[in-house]
Amino acid sequence: GESVGLHLPTLSVQEGDNSIINCAYSNSASDYFIWYKQESGKGPQFIIDIRSNMDKRQGQRVTVLLNKTVKHLSLQIAATQPGDSAVYFCAENGDDYKLSFGAGTTVTVRA
Amino acid sequence: NAGVMQNPRHLVRRRGQEARLRCSPMKGHSHVYWYRQLPEEGLKFMVYLQKENIIDESGMPKERFSAEFPKEGPSILRIQQVVRGDSAAYFCASSPGRGVEQYFGPGTRLTVT
């Protein structure tokens, strides 16, 4: 079956710097990926998604890159703010509905 | 437009009791999903339901766990005869269709003592 994982469990970043969070997946048939942000005590919050027919997608201060050749996904956050401190998950949407989550990267923003 | 609602937010049960977790999807959403999250882990898919139908329950333990999404009212995740290993955060998500963004509720944190 497919699996989704993140390279690093924690990331510490200076306020104002850019953050890059990485994720690897194993199922080459995966065609839809989503990044979620989860703050302590809350449910996952949608950040941005990308389909396999794209390499890059941009949102407000966030960019997702998809490299299908090496099965790698990344989330870039520009000008990181204290409110960006959270756990970030990449997820693959298999079978059109079954989200498979990685273990998460905890991002801590230093003032 | 209210988001996905879950209650209770926190639930404490003794071993052997039953736990009932409720989820009201976003208005207009007829697809509901339940996920379980253990500490320090990502969410794990449990079950996918549409109104009055279970579409996929492959992630749900065969024993003691059941889910429903009736024609009227919230979706219910029911855990009978709870054990300590059932302690986790249970999240519900909803969507207007398949293959699109799932919106998550705040979760129910179940503690079994």
Side-chain angles (χ1 to χ4, degrees), chain B residues 25-83:
Chain B
M26 286 181 69
K27 187 177 180 180
H29 288 192
S30 59
H31 299 246
V32 166
Y33 318 81
W34 286 93
Y35 293 83
R36 177 164 65 177
Q37 185 177 35
L38 296 172
E40 311 300 324
E41 294 187 10
L43 283 70
K44 302 286 190 230
F45 169 83
M46 297 181 73
V47 60
Y48 164 38
L49 311 104
Q50 293 182 31
K51 282 287 187 181
E52 300 184 275
N53 288 303
I54 297 174
I55 307 302
D56 183 345
E57 56 182 349
S58 60
M60 202 156 65
K62 298 279 190 290
E63 306 288 330
R64 303 187 297 108
F65 284 72
S66 63
E68 63 176 9
F69 188 17
K71 187 177 180 181
E72 301 291 336
S75 175
I76 305 288
L77 178 66
R78 183 183 179 205
I79 311 173
Q80 295 178 290
Q81 299 173 337
V82 296
V83 301

Side-chain angles (χ1 to χ4, degrees), chain B residues 11-15 19 21 36-39 41 64-65 79 82-90 108-113:
Chain B
L11 182 61
V12 179
R13 285 287 178 266
R14 291 197 179 97
R15 278 179 297 169
L21 288 62
R36 177 164 65 177
Q37 185 177 35
L38 296 172
E41 294 187 10
R64 303 187 297 108
F65 284 72
I79 311 173
V82 296
V83 301
R84 287 222 171 99
D86 297 332
S87 295
Y90 292 84
T108 293
R109 278 146 188 85
L110 172 66
T111 302
V112 179
T113 61

Side-chain angles (χ1 to χ4, degrees), chain A residues 32-106:
Chain A
Y32 181 41
F33 303 88
I34 312 102
W35 281 99
Y36 284 94
K37 171 186 179 183
Q38 187 176 27
E39 296 174 281
S40 181
K42 297 184 179 180
Q45 176 187 354
F46 174 90
I47 301 173
I48 192 168
D49 59 1
I50 188 167
R51 298 196 181 270
S52 60
N53 61 350
M54 302 175 71
D55 298 321
K56 179 180 179 179
R57 191 155 186 239
Q58 288 184 289
Q60 188 176 8
R61 283 202 306 119
V62 294
T63 301
V64 56
L65 299 177
L66 176 61
N67 186 329
K68 294 179 286 293
T69 302
V70 295
K71 291 184 281 190
H72 182 269
L73 193 68
S74 69
L75 177 71
Q76 300 177 5
I77 305 173
T80 312
Q81 302 169 359
D84 295 327
S85 292
V87 181
Y88 289 81
F89 294 97
C90 63
E92 175 230 355
N93 194 339
D95 301 318
D96 281 338
Y97 58 84
K98 189 183 297 184
L99 292 177
S100 295
F101 283 78
T105 291
T106 300

Side-chain angles (χ1 to χ4, degrees), chain A residues 15-36:
Chain A
E15 182 179 357
D17 286 353
N18 297 334
S19 303
I20 299 177
I21 307 166
N22 295 303
C23 180
Y25 64 95
S26 60
N27 186 358
S28 56
S30 300
D31 61 1
Y32 181 41
F33 303 88
I34 312 102
W35 281 99
Y36 284 94

